Amino acid sequence: MYTNILTSYNNGITTITVNRPSKLNALNKVTIQELHAAFDIADKDTNTRAIIVTGSGEKAFVAGADISEFANFSIDQGKELAAKGQELLFDFVANLSTPVIAAINGFALGGGLELAMAAHFRLASNNAKMGLPEVSLGVIPGYGGTQRLSQLIGKGRAMEMIMTAGMIDANQALAYGLINHVVSQEELVPLTEKLASKVIRNSSVAIGAAIKAINAGYEDGVDGFKTEISEFGKCFGTEDFKEGTTAFLEKRKADFPGK
């Protein structure tokens, strides 16, 4: 079905793996299209309650974009590349109602770090290196990197990382708040799956509402508090809310229908 990615499903979790090890899993046009399709399918699949995104092999999550594809682009082509990429993949992932967890298993550079930042949260192996080296090529991050990096780690640190084009290691990324956990390469997928399984015990409808409310706080011209009030109110009309509150009062585990 796919040329450059692999997908698998187990116990409510769909794992999407970028699979171009000879290119350090770099993102090209085809890979971005395939990732969009895989995320879309997983999000619409009622059995999938969480999505993990990772890279194949032990060297790279995604080591950037495929520069050979756009080295000769014009200004307008460059704008279109960024706009289409953000719409198809990066904004698409950030706004999915199904939670997306990135398991960063090596280099996450340029478009690779931008993909990890579009996920709802991130874990990394202790050999991971992260950075946005675009200015060393005479360009800037174009897949949301200038916005999401500063949201996650603050303006000053984002300015330094982007301007120096330098890489930070997993421990530095943890200290910055860019990632949530650092573990060995062997423990990365098991821990990511463990966290995903904790997530999927809860109401998928409420989680989708929480993602929407949290994201609203970072959107220009949107009042995140108002979005929270609206999403909070909507929860009261769901079957998940009835089940969750009933289960709590009956002192039993909730069995959420996801509606």
Side-chain angles (χ1 to χ4, degrees), residues 173-194:
L174 183 67
Y176 277 5
L178 182 54
I179 57 174
N180 292 22
H181 304 275
V182 179
V183 288
S184 69
Q185 186 105 38
E186 301 74 44
E187 294 170 290
L188 180 63
V189 171
L191 181 60
T192 311
E193 288 173 346
K194 187 180 173 185

Side-chain angles (χ1 to χ4, degrees), residues 11 16 25 63 80 109 114 123 126 138 151 184 236 239 252:
N11 287 337
I16 299 171
N25 303 325
E80 192 189 345
L109 304 175
E114 288 171 306
L123 289 75
N126 50 21
Q151 286 170 5
S184 69
F236 284 73
E239 289 180 34
R252 60 174 174 83

Side-chain angles (χ1 to χ4, degrees), residues 10-250:
N10 187 37
N11 287 337
I13 301 164
T14 291
T15 300
I16 299 171
T17 306
V18 182
N19 186 37
R20 299 182 78 208
S22 64
K23 302 276 187 187
L24 291 177
N25 303 325
L27 293 178
N28 61 359
K29 211 171 175 181
V30 172
T31 311
I32 286 174
Q33 286 280 3
E34 290 188 354
L35 283 167
H36 169 82
F39 277 109
D40 193 33
I41 289 165
D43 187 48
K44 287 172 178 164
D45 173 21
T46 51
N47 293 316
T48 295
R49 306 282 292 278
I51 301 167
I52 294 171
V53 61
T54 192
S56 66
E58 296 187 353
K59 286 185 183 172
F61 171 73
V62 171
D66 208 327
I67 292 149
S68 61
E69 282 196 337
F70 55 80
N72 301 312
F73 273 19
S74 67
I75 291 170
D76 285 343
Q77 286 174 308
K79 281 184 183 175
E80 192 189 345
L81 178 75
K84 200 167 181 187
Q86 287 189 27
E87 183 190 346
L88 257 186
L89 183 59
F90 302 87
D91 289 352
F92 185 75
V93 168
N95 293 305
L96 282 187
S97 58
T98 307
V100 179
I101 308 169
I104 303 170
N105 56 309
F107 289 109
L109 304 175
L113 182 55
E114 288 171 306
L115 176 59
M117 291 192 295
H120 299 120
F121 61 94
R122 290 147 292 284
L123 289 75
S125 56
N126 50 21
N127 68 318
K129 295 268 196 310
M130 286 153 257
L132 295 174
E134 284 85 349
V135 297
S136 68
L137 300 170
V139 70
I140 67 168
Y143 289 146
T146 62
Q147 305 305 297
R148 290 195 178 95
L149 187 63
S150 47
Q151 286 170 5
L152 286 162
I153 71 172
K155 186 178 174 183
R157 284 170 173 162
M159 287 277 195
E160 181 184 338
M161 273 185 72
I162 289 169
M163 286 186 210
T164 60
M167 289 189 288
I168 60 172
D169 64 21
N171 289 321
Q172 187 78 71
L174 183 67
Y176 277 5
L178 182 54
I179 57 174
N180 292 22
H181 304 275
V182 179
V183 288
S184 69
Q185 186 105 38
E186 301 74 44
E187 294 170 290
L188 180 63
V189 171
L191 181 60
T192 311
E193 288 173 346
K194 187 180 173 185
L195 285 170
S197 64
K198 282 186 177 179
V199 168
I200 66 178
R201 284 180 211 153
N202 302 308
S203 161
S204 58
V205 180
I207 285 169
I211 289 169
K212 197 171 176 183
I214 293 165
N215 282 344
Y218 293 95
E219 284 176 44
D220 270 353
V222 177
D223 185 332
F225 290 97
K226 280 188 178 165
T227 303
E228 181 184 281
I229 290 165
S230 169
E231 292 300 316
F232 177 77
K234 284 179 193 170
C235 288
F236 284 73
T238 66
E239 289 180 34
D240 275 13
F241 175 74
K242 289 190 189 84
E243 168 59 15
T245 50
T246 305
F248 178 79
L249 295 170
E250 291 175 358

